[in-house]
Amino acid sequence: MKYYVLFGPPGAGKGTFAKLLVENHGYYHISTGDMLRKEIAAGSELGLKAKDLIEKGNLVPDEVVCGMIRSEFAANGGVRGFLLDGFPRTVAQAEALDKMLSEMGDELTRVVSIYITDEEVRRRIKGRALVENRADDADDEIISTRIRNYHEKTEPVINYYKAQGKYFEVIADGTIPENYAKVEALVD
Ligand code: ADP
């Protein structure tokens, strides 16, 4: 089984590239952000817990997202491979993922990281705010909190995977098709 992580700061295009990879390669897409937004919309207990954290630009607890990933793996055994989008976002999540995969007798295939600058993060999120209606995209201070959380909590994940030789980075400074071609070249 193939397991890819699509990694990158908020607004890097993880969701956009994941959709294209699903269409063109038949992988199963798991977006923890989309799943959490669905829980919030449904008003579930999990959604109620996550809402405030997400809307302020903070991460939800590791146990919550790890539980979501575990049940997605369990429920989708027959697929060609998984594309993880927005997970792992902390070193603890990356360790938990390795443990889950090794318990299934498997391992992560590779991490495809999409690099954009902080300035570009702000520009893209502002653009997205005009088309999607996400509370965490609408406010400069919340965007700053998300960027800060990315540098403090998520960026250390890069070295975790570099140490395993599984980290591959794409500089996403072109058009969407150009950037997608670079991403696609790293999955099979
Ligand atoms: P983006 O990459 O644009 O920030 P996502 O949809 O991936 O958007 O995530 C939106 C929010 O959901 C995050 O800011 C965070 O609050 C929460 N979230 C998503 N995935 C995780 C995760 N793996 N760990 C903790 N929180 C997460």
Side-chain angles (χ1 to χ4, degrees):
M1 185 81 85
K2 300 275 183 185
Y3 295 90
Y4 291 101
V5 166
L6 273 180
F7 185 88
K14 302 185 292 287
T16 305
F17 299 137
K19 275 194 199 91
L20 292 166
L21 290 170
V22 168
E23 281 166 28
N24 299 329
H25 297 267
Y27 291 121
Y28 186 83
H29 179 203
I30 302 179
S31 159
T32 42
D34 285 350
M35 290 171 73
L36 289 164
R37 280 185 288 278
K38 272 188 202 140
E39 296 284 343
I40 293 173
S44 70
E45 200 182 321
L46 197 161
L48 287 175
K49 270 195 231 157
K51 187 174 193 295
D52 204 44
L53 289 166
I54 293 181
E55 290 186 353
K56 292 204 168 93
N58 288 311
L59 297 182
V60 306
D62 291 334
E63 313 81 71
V64 172
V65 282
C66 290
M68 288 168 31
I69 294 287
R70 195 181 289 277
S71 35
E72 283 292 292
F73 285 159
N76 297 287
V79 302
R80 244 200 100 213
F82 290 93
L83 271 182
L84 303 178
D85 156 10
F87 178 93
R89 249 181 165 91
T90 63
V91 170
Q93 290 177 22
E95 287 167 351
L97 175 62
D98 274 348
K99 188 154 173 273
M100 273 182 239
L101 295 177
S102 83
E103 280 165 11
M104 298 189 293
D106 231 318
E107 62 169 317
L108 189 73
T109 310
R110 59 167 57 158
V111 176
V112 179
S113 176
I114 304 154
Y115 177 80
I116 60 171
T117 62
D118 288 355
E119 196 189 335
E120 187 64 13
V121 169
R122 287 183 190 280
R123 210 181 62 76
R124 298 234 192 136
I125 291 181
K126 289 215 157 126
R128 183 165 72 185
L130 304 173
V131 270
E132 287 175 34
N133 196 21
R134 280 175 53 171
D136 59 345
D137 282 351
D139 178 285
D140 275 328
E141 234 173 275
I142 295 169
I143 297 170
S144 298
T145 304
R146 289 164 67 196
I147 293 175
R148 196 172 60 244
N149 279 324
Y150 174 76
H151 289 303
E152 282 173 12
K153 300 186 173 140
T154 306
E155 228 165 29
V157 173
I158 294 176
N159 279 335
Y160 178 86
Y161 287 123
K162 273 188 180 165
Q164 296 186 358
K166 290 191 173 165
Y167 182 82
F168 295 80
E169 190 173 87
V170 154
I171 311 282
D173 59 358
T175 62
I176 291 178
E178 283 164 0
N179 296 336
Y180 174 67
K182 294 190 205 169
V183 169
E184 194 179 34
L186 292 172
V187 304
D188 72 3

